[in-house]
Amino acid sequence: MSGYAVYVWGSFAAGLAVYLWNLIAPRLRRRATLEAIAEAQGDE
């Protein structure tokens, strides 16, 4: 890779991090939303 391996693999790592965040973030947000709904229904 003629000395550019750090940049190439760094780009792959950054892309993987973004991909994983796109998988995990909606699940975390859904869980928080469901907990908030359950809490709001429990207060009534």
Side-chain angles (χ1 to χ4, degrees):
M1 290 189 199
S2 302
Y4 295 105
V6 173
Y7 302 108
V8 171
W9 289 112
S11 297
F12 279 120
L16 180 62
V18 169
Y19 178 75
L20 290 174
W21 180 252
N22 281 327
L23 290 175
I24 294 169
R27 291 185 174 112
L28 294 175
R29 193 175 311 124
R30 180 179 187 270
R31 181 182 302 163
T33 302
L34 291 175
E35 288 175 359
I37 291 170
E39 183 179 313
Q41 288 178 347
D43 289 344
E44 293 177 1

